[in-house]
Amino acid sequence: MSILLTTLNARYTHASLGLRYLLANMGELQEQTRLQEFVIGAKATEIVERILSYSPKIVGFGIYIWNVEETAKVVAMLKRVAPQVVVVLGGPEVSHETNEQEIVKLADYVITGWGDVTFPKLCGEILHGPKPLMKVHAGVQPPMAEIKLPYSLYSDDDIKNRTLYVEASRGCPFKCEFCLSALDKTAWPFALDNFLAEMESLYQRGARLFKFVDRTFNLNIKTSLKIMQFFLDKLEANPDDPVYAHFELVPDHLPDALKEGIAKFPQGALQFEIGIQSFNPEVQMLVSRKQDNQKAADNIRWLTKQSHAHMHVDLIAGLPGETVDSFAEGFNKLWALEPHEIQFGILKRLRGTPIIRHTQEFGMVYDPYAPYTILANKDIDFSTMQRLVRFARYWDLVANSGRFAHTLPVLLGDAPFQRFMAFSDWLYANTDATHRIALERLVAMVARYLQTQGMGKEEAEALLASDYAGAKPKAAETPAPKRQARRLAA
Ligand code: SF4
C-alpha cells in the first residue's frame, strides 16, 4: 500500500466526503490507496501508530478548522518517527494564508483548493518522478463531469451508523465576507441524473439520512424540485421506512413551486438550515450579504406555519457594525418567527475570507488560534463577547436541546434576548461552568433562577417537572410551542 488518505473528523458519525472524493478520483493509483479516518480527541501516538501500520509512502491529510491544531501534532510526530513518509496536506484550512501556517512548515507538500485532480497527479509524481519541485500546488478545478462521484465508497457500516454527506453542487454565488464560499463567485452543479442515480444506489443499500452540503440548495429551483421529488417518491413508496434529508437554504428565495414541494413532506422528513446571520441592513451591507429581510422573515414564517420542515436558523454575533442591542433586536425578531432552533454563532475569521478588510476600522480582535473566534470589536468589548459566548452555550443546553419545552417561554417572556442574557449571567455566576452541567443540576438551577424572578418554589418545580418528566403542563396555561419539537439534527 502506497498512499493513505486520512483526516480527524469532528465526530465518529461524520464520514468525510472530501476523502472519499479523493479516493474515487485516484485513477490507476486507487488500488494502492486506503482511507483511514480518526476522530479529534484521539491520542496523537495512537493515530501515528495506526497510520504507520499501513506502511504508507504518502499520507494525505484533510485539514479543516476543527482539526488543524491536533493534526499539526500528528504530522510533527509522524515526521519525527518516520521522516521518509511524504506528507501531503489539503483542505480549506491550508488553502489560504498557506505559507504562514505551522502545519505547512511540517509537511512536504500542500494542495490548495480542489484536490480531485491534483492530488492523484502529485502522488504519481512523488512515487514515480519527476520529483515535484514546488511545495504548494494550486488545485486544478476540472469540469464537473470529469469528477468521479464518491458515493459507492460509503461502506455498509457508514450507511448504517454515520451521517452521509452528499452534494449536488459545489460553490456559492454570494459573497458574504465572513464565509469561505464567498471566494467561489459561482456555484457548479454536478450532472443531476448521475447524482440522483448515486442517491438511488445509496437508498437501495439502506441509506435513510442524507445531509446535503450544497451551500445554497434553493439556488436553481428546477434542480431543487427534482431532488425533493426523489425523496417524496421514496416517502410515498415506503412510508413505514422514511427517508430524511437536510438542506441549507437561502431564506429570501422560496418561490411558490418550491413551497408546494416542501409542503408535501411529512413530519420528520425534512430539515432546513437557514442562514439569517444578521437582520441589520447596515451590517449586511458591510459584509456584502444580500438579503431581503422582509422576504426572509415571511418565508421563515411560512415554513413554520405551513410545512413540517424542522428549521435551524443561524445568527452570528460579532459582525462588524453589529452592537449588542442590534443583535438583540435581530434575535428577538427571529425568535418571534418560531424556528425550531436558533443557532447562535460567534464570528470566526476563517482564513482567506474578505472580512479582514474591516479589522482596523471596526477594531476586530480575533483569537490567533483555530477556530479564530472574535474576542472583541469596537462595539463589543472582550468581557461582553464572553457573555455572548456563554449565552450561545447555554442557549444550546436550554433552548436548542428541546428539554425545556414548557419552561422556556416562561423564562424568555416578551424580551427573549435580554431575559436569557440575564439568566445566562446568573447561571454562570452560580455555577462557574459552561460545560459539564448535568441535566439534573441544570433543571435545579433553572428552577432556582425562576424563583429569583418571583415565581413560587412549588410553581417553578412543577413547571420544570412538566419538562423533565415529559409531562404536559395544564393545556390552557402553556401551549407547547412548535419549536420544542423533537430535535432532528444528525
Ligand atoms: S454565507 Fe451562505 S450565502 Fe453567503 S457566501 Fe456563504 S454559503 Fe454563500
Side-chain angles (χ1 to χ4, degrees):
M1 213 264 317
S2 305
I3 304 162
L4 185 71
L5 288 165
T6 191
T7 195
L8 277 70
N9 294 320
R11 293 184 192 169
Y12 166 73
T13 50
H14 298 178
S16 168
L17 181 60
L19 289 192
R20 285 167 179 78
Y21 264 112
L22 292 182
L23 184 54
N25 288 279
M26 288 304 287
E28 56 189 26
L29 294 175
Q30 193 184 47
E31 287 207 341
Q32 35 182 319
T33 306
R34 294 283 175 280
L35 191 154
Q36 171 69 58
E37 295 169 277
F38 299 96
V39 181
I40 54 171
K43 278 175 89 173
T45 43
E46 285 171 11
I47 295 175
V48 171
E49 193 178 6
R50 188 73 186 272
I51 288 173
L52 291 176
S53 73
Y54 290 93
S55 306
K57 292 189 175 122
I58 301 171
V59 181
F61 285 93
I63 312 296
Y64 300 86
I65 194 167
W66 64 80
N67 70 18
V68 60
E69 307 262 322
E70 291 191 29
T71 312
K73 287 184 194 155
V74 171
V75 173
M77 194 179 289
L78 179 65
K79 289 301 281 183
R80 285 202 170 199
V81 296
Q84 76 285 1
V85 173
V86 177
V87 168
V88 182
L89 307 179
E93 184 62 10
V94 290
S95 290
H96 305 277
E97 303 166 20
T98 305
N99 286 317
E100 62 201 62
Q101 299 187 43
E102 278 312 304
I103 193 168
V104 169
K105 291 176 189 149
L106 298 164
D108 297 286
Y109 299 103
V110 182
I111 295 171
T112 61
W114 298 31
D116 314 83
V117 168
T118 307
F119 182 69
K121 181 169 176 285
L122 182 66
C123 287
E125 290 168 4
I126 294 167
L127 292 173
H128 309 300
K131 189 173 183 256
L133 296 175
M134 307 285 288
K135 176 165 178 164
V136 179
H137 296 251
V140 170
Q141 183 178 332
M144 299 303 273
E146 287 176 20
I147 299 175
K148 293 208 167 52
L149 298 183
Y151 302 106
S152 61
L153 296 172
Y154 281 126
S155 67
D156 291 343
D157 183 55
D158 294 334
I159 288 175
K160 208 167 151 210
N161 299 312
R162 306 175 81 189
T163 303
L164 300 186
Y165 294 100
V166 300
E167 60 179 5
S169 67
R170 289 185 184 174
C172 178
F174 301 108
K175 296 189 178 61
C176 316
E177 294 178 18
F178 49 81
C179 177
L180 255 185
S181 299
L183 306 176
D184 295 335
K185 298 194 179 70
T186 186
W188 303 273
F190 286 99
L192 188 56
D193 290 346
N194 290 351
F195 173 75
L196 288 178
E198 293 287 333
M199 296 304 100
E200 178 68 37
S201 156
L202 280 176
Y203 180 83
Q204 295 304 337
R205 291 176 62 205
R208 292 294 179 271
L209 198 157
F210 296 76
K211 193 158 185 177
F212 281 70
V213 296
D214 300 55
R215 303 318 312 257
T216 40
F217 172 70
N218 52 335
L219 206 56
N220 179 331
I221 298 302
K222 264 192 187 165
T223 304
S224 315
L225 284 173
K226 276 197 178 166
I227 292 173
M228 287 206 310
Q229 194 57 49
F230 171 87
F231 289 107
L232 284 170
D233 290 347
K234 301 297 174 217
L235 286 161
E236 197 183 330
N238 221 344
D240 296 332
D241 184 13
V243 65
Y244 170 76
H246 170 116
F247 302 105
E248 290 186 26
L249 294 189
V250 282
D252 52 1
H253 186 54
L254 223 54
D256 287 346
L258 197 56
K259 284 182 177 164
E260 251 172 59
I262 291 169
K264 289 182 191 156
F265 279 81
Q267 188 85 34
L270 201 55
Q271 176 166 5
F272 291 134
E273 181 163 346
I274 300 174
I276 287 288
Q277 320 308 4
S278 172
F279 267 126
N280 182 337
E282 280 168 39
V283 175
Q284 288 167 351
M285 200 177 66
L286 278 167
V287 299
S288 313
R289 181 173 172 87
K290 292 205 171 88
Q291 179 172 289
D292 182 329
N293 285 339
Q294 190 55 49
K295 263 194 192 164
D298 290 348
N299 286 338
I300 292 175
R301 195 176 296 107
W302 182 89
L303 286 164
T304 312
K305 304 283 180 219
Q306 309 290 329
S307 83
H308 296 298
H310 183 88
M311 258 187 301
H312 175 130
V313 184
D314 301 340
L315 284 178
I316 300 178
L319 289 167
E322 189 85 280
T323 63
V324 173
D325 286 348
S326 70
F327 182 82
E329 205 179 301
F331 185 94
N332 290 347
K333 183 172 172 176
L334 181 55
W335 170 259
L337 298 173
E338 298 192 41
H340 304 91
E341 292 181 35
I342 297 177
Q343 172 72 45
F344 182 148
I346 308 289
L347 178 66
K348 296 173 177 51
R349 191 201 74 86
L350 307 183
R351 287 187 186 277
T353 51
I355 198 151
I356 48 167
R357 77 186 178 100
H358 299 295
T359 299
Q360 274 200 327
E361 189 183 346
F362 287 88
M364 313 291 278
V365 179
Y366 300 96
D367 188 337
Y369 298 102
Y372 321 113
T373 308
I374 189 147
L375 299 172
N377 65 26
K378 163 164 104 54
D379 294 299
I380 305 178
D381 63 20
F382 175 68
S383 66
T384 308
M385 200 70 85
Q386 295 321 295
R387 289 173 62 213
L388 293 173
V389 169
R390 286 192 288 276
F391 182 123
R393 170 68 189 146
Y394 294 142
W395 183 259
D396 270 345
L397 288 179
V398 175
N400 289 341
S401 69
R403 284 172 174 147
F404 295 85
H406 307 105
T407 306
L408 190 62
V410 178
L411 188 62
L412 301 183
D414 55 4
F417 180 88
Q418 292 78 359
R419 290 184 52 162
F420 198 84
M421 183 61 114
F423 164 70
S424 170
D425 289 342
W426 179 90
L427 187 59
Y428 185 63
N430 285 275
T431 58
D432 211 18
T434 51
H435 291 79
R436 291 182 294 279
I437 304 178
L439 181 58
E440 286 80 358
R441 186 171 176 220
L442 187 59
V443 169
M445 294 306 286
V446 175
R448 243 180 81 193
Y449 178 74
L450 290 172
Q451 290 167 61
T452 69
Q453 301 303 296
M455 190 181 268
K457 186 168 187 290
E458 271 182 27
E459 197 188 347
E461 285 175 355
L463 181 61
L464 265 303
S466 70
D467 289 327
Y468 192 41
K472 285 195 162 57
K474 284 177 229 160
E477 287 175 12
T478 320
K482 246 186 152 186
R483 73 183 91 234
Q484 278 83 35
R486 187 167 62 91
R487 194 172 185 199
L488 294 169

